[in-house]
Amino acid sequence: MIDLLALVMLLAGCFFVFAGTVGMLRLPDVYCRLHALTKADNLGLLLICLSLALLAGRLRITLLLLLIWLLALLASTVSAHLIARHSRARRPPTGEPQ
Amino acid sequence: MNAQIVVDIALGLILVGLAAQVALGRHLFRSIVFYVAFGLAMAVIWARLGAADLALADAAIGAGLTGALMMVAFRRLVGIDPEQAQAQMTRHSHVAVAVAALTAGLVATVGLAALTMARAPESAGMQVLARLEETGLGNPVTGVLLVFRGFDTLIEMAVLLTAFVGSRVMTQRSRLNVTTISGFELPLVRTLVAVILPLAVLIAMHLLWIGADQPGGAFQAGAVLAGSGVLLLLTGTLLPAPRSNAMARLALVAGVAALSLLVLVPLSQGRPPLAFLGKGSLLFAEAAMMVSVAVSLTLLFAGAPALKAGRQ
């Protein structure tokens, strides 16, 4: 039962990471790409971490995986903000595809 | 064919593909980005091969620090010679193709030969594993680096020092104070630094401490510390100083000096050079090497002979 739940979460996590990658490659401008990448990838990473924690079944590993996710979340938040800020300073968003 | 081999072959193909992108890339910046991805793929492959020490070193130095150094070098190139930085590289020499093909053939031949050979019973690796107990170390990599092949590590630290001095000679006339990113004053960035820095220092000390028994050690710890130094430089908390000072020089030579002590102290007691002095002496040498690695890499990134405190 736990294995099945972990498998479902792992597959869902892979789907979100894949969707984020497709978004980064296909979406029209830097803001849309950032949106796709940071939102979908962080959700995907959380699902993958949760499923690995379920499979490990140990508190220590669960906490370490949670720490990894929080650090990735923090890093992607700040870098997305900086990239968007830099991009806005160079070329303000027009609403039109670039 | 089982799933493991499929993953390994896929990783190998990814590595070769990334290497081709680095070498054949039309644009310098693109090649740098692919080089960082190459370092990460290499780290994953080392981890798959069970070489956790190398995986850590490649992720921290190969992908992280070297990537940061190349990025900052590119940015300086944009400042010095924008045309060269943006130039499309379309010309590839025919000699390069021939050399690449020959090298690939050589690697394939040696690899195939190594796969078919039986493992020699008295190889150096086996002897290290057999005699590792005498040193009381749990990590054979640390045993080789500091006990069995200590001279190699001494020379490696000397190479790092020489490379740093060489880069100073090359760059001392240029004005290279273009490292700070815009936006470092934002509360968001300050929060990131405030969270990441203590964790990075903790990880570096952990890597140094467990290096004797588990994957880790001076080079990995130094690279993590250097990463923190790069972060502090980018956010303007540390600034490049125009003149060197005693602290910076001491930190740069600490690794060579500590390893030289490991050579000389046994000699003064009438034992062979680099005779094993106990775990404490190794930790001392590794700590000194960590400081030297961290300071050299941070100063290379800063393009300066020393650092000074910037905005708080």
Side-chain angles (χ1 to χ4, degrees):
Chain A
M1 188 59 207
I2 284 183
D3 280 2
L4 188 70
L5 191 61
L7 180 70
V8 170
M9 281 161 89
L10 195 61
L11 286 177
C14 289
F15 168 75
F16 277 109
V17 173
F18 183 73
T21 310
V22 171
M24 191 188 71
L25 291 174
R26 300 292 301 163
L27 287 177
D29 68 10
V30 67
Y31 308 102
C32 299
R33 285 185 204 140
L34 277 177
H35 183 83
L37 198 62
T38 46
K39 282 220 165 112
D41 270 18
N42 283 323
L43 185 57
L45 185 63
L46 174 66
L47 285 167
I48 291 171
C49 284
L50 280 179
S51 103
L52 291 180
L54 274 181
L55 286 176
R58 280 164 56 193
L59 184 65
R60 182 186 137 85
I61 293 185
T62 308
L63 290 178
L64 284 175
L65 284 166
L66 193 67
L67 183 65
I68 290 172
W69 179 67
L70 283 175
L71 285 175
L73 196 65
L74 187 68
S76 72
T77 310
V78 176
S79 47
H81 179 80
L82 286 178
I83 292 171
R85 191 173 176 274
H86 179 75
S87 173
R88 184 165 169 267
R90 279 179 64 185
R91 195 186 326 175
T94 55
E96 301 287 315
Q98 289 173 12
Chain B
M1 205 159 49
N2 57 30
Q4 303 252 333
I5 292 181
V6 175
V7 171
D8 286 344
I9 290 177
L11 280 173
L13 289 178
I14 287 172
L15 195 69
V16 174
L18 287 172
Q21 290 288 339
V22 174
L24 303 174
R26 290 285 176 87
H27 193 269
L28 207 51
F29 185 76
R30 203 180 121 94
S31 287
I32 295 172
V33 173
F34 273 106
Y35 182 83
V36 173
F38 175 85
L40 284 176
M42 197 72 231
V44 174
I45 288 176
W46 285 128
R48 285 279 306 159
L49 290 171
D53 284 273
L54 283 173
L56 280 170
D58 230 316
I61 303 177
L65 253 297
T66 318
L69 284 174
M70 285 186 182
M71 292 275 187
V72 80
F74 178 77
R75 192 156 150 188
R76 284 170 186 154
L77 185 62
V78 171
I80 298 165
D81 188 351
E83 268 181 37
Q84 199 192 339
Q86 303 299 336
Q88 301 273 319
M89 290 178 290
T90 46
R91 268 190 322 141
H92 286 291
S93 150
H94 294 293
V95 181
V97 177
V99 168
L102 276 175
T103 313
L106 188 68
V107 169
T109 315
V110 171
L112 282 177
L115 278 180
T116 52
M117 255 185 348
R119 181 182 288 181
E122 283 298 300
S123 66
M126 292 292 129
Q127 289 186 25
V128 166
L129 288 179
R131 296 194 56 187
L132 193 66
E133 264 185 37
E134 294 170 31
T135 64
L137 299 171
N139 182 1
V141 177
T142 307
V144 169
L145 284 181
L146 284 172
V147 182
F148 300 110
R149 307 286 306 252
F151 274 121
D152 289 10
T153 310
L154 171 61
I155 292 166
E156 226 167 74
M157 291 309 293
V159 166
L160 185 66
L161 183 62
T162 316
F164 177 78
V165 173
S167 88
R168 286 304 312 148
V169 171
M170 294 290 290
T171 55
Q172 63 179 346
R173 285 193 203 158
S174 51
R175 305 177 69 78
L176 299 173
N177 50 354
V178 280
T179 41
T180 309
I181 47 168
S182 70
F184 69 85
E185 72 288 351
L186 296 174
L188 200 59
V189 178
R190 299 188 71 99
T191 311
L192 177 78
V193 174
V195 173
I196 294 287
L197 266 190
L199 278 172
V201 173
L202 187 69
I203 289 170
M205 294 306 143
H206 176 71
L207 284 171
L208 179 72
W209 183 250
I210 64 159
D213 294 314
Q214 286 172 47
F219 286 95
Q220 290 88 343
V224 171
L225 278 188
S228 318
V230 167
L231 200 58
L232 287 175
L233 277 166
L234 284 174
T235 52
T237 315
L238 283 178
L239 293 173
R243 290 201 175 279
S244 187
N245 56 42
M247 277 289 280
R249 287 177 181 159
L250 195 65
L252 285 169
V253 299
V256 176
L259 281 167
S260 305
L261 273 181
L262 284 197
V263 174
L264 292 175
V265 168
L267 270 183
S268 70
Q269 298 168 346
R271 293 197 286 162
L274 271 167
F276 186 56
L277 292 171
K279 266 179 151 178
S281 68
L282 290 195
L283 196 63
F284 164 73
E286 291 227 70
M289 282 159 62
M290 175 188 77
V291 170
S292 284
V293 169
V295 171
S296 307
L297 291 172
T298 310
L299 288 180
L300 277 178
F301 184 83
L307 299 171
K308 64 183 182 193
R311 276 176 235 206
Q312 292 305 309

